Amino acid sequence: MANAIANKKNEAIFLSSSNKESDAIRKLIEAKDLSASIISQLPDFTKEAHDLSKDLESELNKIAKITNIENPEKITELSNFVIKFEPKNIFKSENQILVTGSEFGLIYKIDASNRRKGFNFFSTVEDKVASVAKSSSDISFFTESGKAYIYDPLSQKINELNFSKDENQIMGLSNNTIDVYDKSTSEIKILSQANLHQIEKLSAQSPVSSLASDNKNIFTLTSDNRIIKITGQRQEQIADINSLQLFEKPTAIYTNNNTSNTYITSKNQLAVFSKNGGFIGQYNIIGSDEIIDIYIASDQEIFLLSHDAVYRISI
């Protein structure tokens, strides 16, 4: 059995050297399954099987470009907040980290350097947040009643937009535009932030589950787990996440002007692609609970929001 495992490992290494990473990963998964079977069935072989399993795990991570980030830096625990609320989104402005909740109007401010905490009611509107869109400089809130607001963290001012959102719409935000995908019509509309004038309209190639924008492009995560890059009227598939066999079901896509990459989240995982679709790597965040939102300050500084804490990682 040990020879069978070793043979599968050697086959995987050969396939990887021939640029057949997907086939190599499959071989390594087969070898890991066989190793696990040995461990469960042959107690006397346990130590050798464990050694083989660790070796396979290392080889698998190398070929699949997987990095484990263990015990990420914890900025703060949300249980320390004075007012309890369900966290929804995270944002960073200069040296402050902002955490927003489902209750409209509440933003917790965390000093990124000394971790002092405070909170601020920035509006008296009593409505729950349905969704949020973020650029590198602003946050836009859409409430359950359909109203839209944009919040400038620098001035700490919130302005209501003359715009109504319904439950069929998915929003994205760049520094200059509001991008709207309508699930009922499969249309994407690009609106000027300044006056909500429509700049562009196009039909999406595939149903969209999440979108993110920089000032030049819109990136959509489709319901069948592909990344589509939209520039003007041009739509181009740049990556297929289904090819990442060790990545769980994607939940959201993130990018902004601060980064040269796009980030896909799934529970405790991040998959990172260049904005042209090149696969950079997969990161398993070990030591945190499920990731519900991220903010990209730069490619070297990423903030993660879980239900219980705020973390900072560098990749």
Side-chain angles (χ1 to χ4, degrees):
M1 285 190 182
N3 287 338
I5 294 171
N7 287 339
K8 287 181 182 293
K9 175 191 168 185
N10 290 334
E11 283 183 65
I13 293 171
F14 173 76
L15 288 166
S16 177
S17 67
S18 303
N19 295 320
K20 296 180 179 178
E21 282 82 4
S22 293
D23 293 334
I25 291 168
R26 272 195 292 273
K27 283 292 178 187
L28 285 169
I29 292 172
E30 288 174 12
K32 279 193 67 182
D33 289 344
L34 184 55
S35 177
S37 176
I38 292 172
I39 290 172
S40 64
Q41 295 178 32
L42 300 174
D44 293 340
F45 195 55
T46 298
K47 183 181 184 307
E48 188 176 347
H50 271 298
D51 291 342
L52 280 167
S53 182
K54 288 179 182 178
D55 189 36
L56 291 169
E57 187 77 35
S58 174
E59 199 64 45
L60 183 59
N61 288 351
K62 183 167 67 176
I63 291 175
K65 297 182 180 178
I66 296 173
T67 301
N68 291 331
I69 299 177
E70 299 192 24
N71 300 315
E73 178 191 2
K74 185 182 288 187
I75 300 296
T76 191
E77 292 187 12
L78 302 188
S79 59
N80 294 334
F81 286 4
V82 177
I83 298 177
K84 308 303 179 187
F85 71 114
E86 179 188 348
K88 284 269 191 175
N89 298 93
I90 188 167
F91 189 87
K92 184 172 184 285
S93 175
E94 294 189 331
N95 205 37
Q96 285 190 327
I97 301 165
L98 310 179
V99 177
T100 67
S102 56
E103 296 297 330
F104 187 77
L106 180 62
I107 287 185
Y108 263 102
K109 298 178 181 179
I110 306 161
D111 190 295
S113 59
N114 62 23
R115 305 184 185 186
R116 286 183 305 163
K117 295 173 289 294
F119 67 90
N120 177 41
F121 286 95
F122 63 84
S123 171
T124 56
V125 178
E126 294 182 359
D127 200 352
K128 284 186 176 289
V129 173
S131 62
V132 172
K134 297 178 291 187
S135 70
S136 58
S137 60
D138 303 300
I139 315 172
S140 192
F141 295 85
F142 304 93
T143 69
E144 289 185 354
S145 63
K147 292 184 178 180
Y149 302 83
I150 195 159
Y151 174 67
D152 178 2
L154 291 178
S155 66
Q156 300 187 29
K157 290 183 179 178
I158 184 167
N159 295 309
E160 184 173 353
L161 299 173
N162 186 23
F163 178 84
S164 180
K165 175 188 180 299
D166 65 42
E167 61 184 14
N168 285 319
Q169 294 174 334
I170 297 173
M171 315 296 295
L173 195 69
S174 77
N175 288 1
N176 302 318
T177 64
I178 297 174
D179 310 312
V180 184
Y181 169 72
D182 193 313
K183 289 185 275 189
S184 60
T185 63
S186 296
E187 285 185 338
I188 295 175
K189 295 179 182 178
I190 303 172
L191 310 175
S192 164
Q193 245 189 63
N195 55 19
L196 298 180
H197 174 73
Q198 182 174 298
I199 300 170
E200 200 89 57
K201 182 172 79 171
L202 64 153
S203 295
Q205 280 183 357
S206 301
V208 172
S209 61
S210 175
L211 65 83
S213 311
D214 57 23
N215 280 354
K216 295 180 180 178
N217 313 288
I218 298 173
F219 297 87
T220 66
L221 173 63
T222 66
S223 56
D224 57 354
N225 304 330
R226 295 176 297 122
I227 301 176
I228 306 293
K229 179 180 179 180
I230 301 171
T231 308
Q233 290 287 325
R234 184 184 177 198
Q235 301 182 57
E236 172 191 9
Q237 177 181 317
I238 60 171
D240 184 353
I241 301 160
N242 297 303
S243 65
L244 305 182
Q245 298 176 43
L246 302 177
F247 195 73
E248 297 190 36
K249 183 172 175 57
T251 52
I253 187 169
Y254 298 86
T255 195
N256 59 31
N257 291 345
N258 296 337
T259 176
S260 54
N261 302 325
T262 59
Y263 294 77
I264 307 293
T265 56
S266 174
K267 294 187 177 178
N268 292 71
Q269 298 174 307
L270 289 177
V272 185
F273 297 84
S274 74
K275 289 186 178 179
N276 291 321
F279 178 56
I280 293 171
Q282 177 182 320
Y283 300 83
N284 297 331
I285 316 300
I286 299 170
S288 70
D289 59 350
E290 183 175 345
I291 299 165
I292 56 176
D293 194 37
I294 73 172
Y295 180 75
I296 309 156
S298 71
D299 290 329
Q300 288 74 46
E301 187 177 43
I302 299 167
F303 293 89
L304 312 176
L305 177 66
S306 74
H307 292 285
D308 298 324
V310 173
Y311 301 90
R312 174 164 45 199
I313 62 171
S314 176
I315 63 172

